[in-house]
Amino acid sequence: MDKYLTRFRDTKKTDTRNITFYSKHKVYLFIVNYHHRNYTSALFIRNVIYTLFALYYPFDFDLLLIGPTKNDKMGVSGNGLPTRGYYSYHSLTAAFEMFPPQCGYTYSGYFLANDDSCLQPILLGRENHNIALSESWFNWTNYTHWMWNWKLNSNGIKFSQAFFDAVDEISESPSTRALCKFDKTNLRKGWGDFFYIPKSKMSAFLKLERVMFEHKVFLESAVPFIMQCLDAKVIVNCNHGKMLQRENCVHLHPVKYSRSEEKSICINRITNTSLIERPSTW
């Protein structure tokens, strides 16, 4: 599995494998998740986007690209998930199981971002890495006009019902009920294209994620719920829409790397050349 990792130390990519380094230094894991099996952007993301990112991000990190099936030629590991990304939050658990602390991979924290996300390394580096970080969330009920309330998950159950069932299990189980201080009366929906879990919160995340994934809860319900349980900070975020705060946004989404102009937008953000450009999106 180690062949899927790309290591960045002191702002540069390195091929040196030193498992004792993790216990002596702060190292973060960045997981780039693919919803589909089209990995044509993998080399660009690894060799351009994150190679530039490393020049401006103040910490050492490893990079893992992961998708529904592995592709050794493109250096993408497999998470075994169905396409379309409904349960993409599980990629963090898959990565944790591939590179567990007991094998020496004592990461200080875990970032998950979609393959069409663009992170601004200077702004991200200023965030407190000792707390969970999340995109924004919104009020939700099963009566909300939202197509994911009535669509069926891979268990053949409405996503809204699966969410309720998962929340009930978390509220009733001795192993999880102390982790969340709210119930079905104040649930949220929100974006799930980027989030961060510090090492101190990973045990709680894994317990909560296991329940959400077993019930096949949609990511835009599962991620906000888990992040609220972990007392996550909501970052300044640009996800679709007018992106009015894009000069201060840690995370920009979607950026389609199949378009040369959007490649340039992310490169310009990473290098702090321009933070005002906006990708084409609704």
Side-chain angles (χ1 to χ4, degrees):
M1 287 299 180
D2 198 77
K3 64 183 179 181
Y4 296 112
L5 287 180
T6 305
R7 296 176 176 83
F8 295 88
R9 304 289 183 266
D10 294 324
T11 75
K12 297 179 180 64
K13 190 190 302 183
T14 178
D15 295 326
T16 302
R17 182 182 184 274
N18 180 2
I19 200 67
T20 63
F21 187 87
Y22 296 92
S23 62
K24 298 176 182 178
H25 302 83
K26 281 187 176 182
V27 183
Y28 296 89
L29 179 61
F30 282 77
I31 304 154
V32 173
N33 178 80
Y34 281 86
H35 288 346
H36 300 279
R37 298 187 183 95
N38 182 352
Y39 303 142
T40 53
S41 66
L43 296 180
F44 177 76
I45 288 174
R46 180 185 297 109
N47 297 330
V48 178
I49 292 299
Y50 278 90
T51 298
L52 286 173
F53 183 92
L55 296 175
Y56 298 88
Y57 185 63
F59 304 107
D60 294 330
F61 66 94
D62 290 352
L63 175 67
L64 174 69
L65 275 56
I66 194 167
T69 55
K70 71 175 183 177
N71 185 316
D72 288 344
K73 182 178 179 180
M74 303 302 289
V76 179
S77 180
N79 55 24
L81 295 175
T83 58
R84 303 183 70 85
Y86 295 169
Y87 319 112
S88 61
Y89 53 89
H90 187 66
S91 285
L92 200 161
T93 297
F96 183 86
E97 292 174 349
M98 279 186 247
F99 305 103
Q102 58 265 36
C103 291
Y105 298 97
T106 52
Y107 291 111
S108 296
Y110 302 78
F111 292 91
L112 188 140
N114 276 341
D115 65 295
D116 55 354
S117 290
C118 179
L119 297 172
Q120 213 293 328
I122 298 172
L123 296 176
L124 182 60
R126 293 172 183 166
E127 294 289 347
N128 184 352
H129 286 40
N130 295 319
I131 61 175
L133 303 174
S134 174
E135 296 185 87
S136 49
W137 49 65
F138 317 95
N139 291 332
W140 174 88
T141 74
N142 58 329
Y143 300 108
T144 303
H145 182 66
W146 191 42
M147 68 177 182
W148 301 105
N149 278 350
W150 51 264
K151 278 183 173 288
L152 301 183
N153 66 12
S154 55
N155 290 339
I157 297 171
K158 284 184 179 180
F159 279 111
S160 55
Q161 185 59 52
F163 190 22
F164 283 149
D165 293 344
V167 172
D168 283 343
E169 181 174 336
I170 287 168
S171 300
E172 295 167 6
S173 172
S175 66
T176 54
R177 63 189 176 201
L179 299 175
C180 300
K181 306 302 182 185
F182 57 94
D183 55 27
K184 288 188 285 190
T185 63
N186 58 354
L187 299 179
R188 303 287 187 266
K189 67 171 184 172
W191 300 112
D193 302 293
F194 164 83
F195 60 89
Y196 166 72
I197 309 294
K199 177 172 64 176
S200 62
K201 298 283 188 178
M202 271 304 293
S203 176
F205 171 84
L206 293 169
K207 291 176 183 178
L208 296 168
E209 193 278 336
R210 177 192 62 78
V211 178
M212 289 287 162
F213 183 62
E214 284 182 356
H215 286 276
K216 298 299 182 286
V217 177
F218 184 55
L219 84 157
E220 291 183 9
S221 300
V223 172
F225 180 87
I226 293 172
M227 301 310 287
Q228 287 177 92
C229 292
L230 301 183
D231 297 320
K233 175 190 173 183
V234 176
I235 61 166
V236 181
N237 186 51
C238 290
N239 199 328
H240 291 284
K242 296 181 180 180
M243 302 183 176
L244 298 177
Q245 293 181 282
R246 54 188 177 275
E247 291 186 68
N248 299 305
C249 282
V250 174
H251 171 249
L252 193 76
H253 174 272
V255 181
K256 301 303 182 184
Y257 296 121
S258 58
R259 304 169 185 164
S260 59
E261 65 274 15
E262 299 204 3
K263 286 181 178 179
S264 296
I265 287 173
C266 190
I267 289 171
N268 289 340
R269 286 190 69 80
I270 288 172
T271 58
N272 213 35
T273 303
S274 173
L275 301 179
I276 64 172
E277 298 168 302
R278 175 182 173 273
S280 299
T281 182
W282 50 267

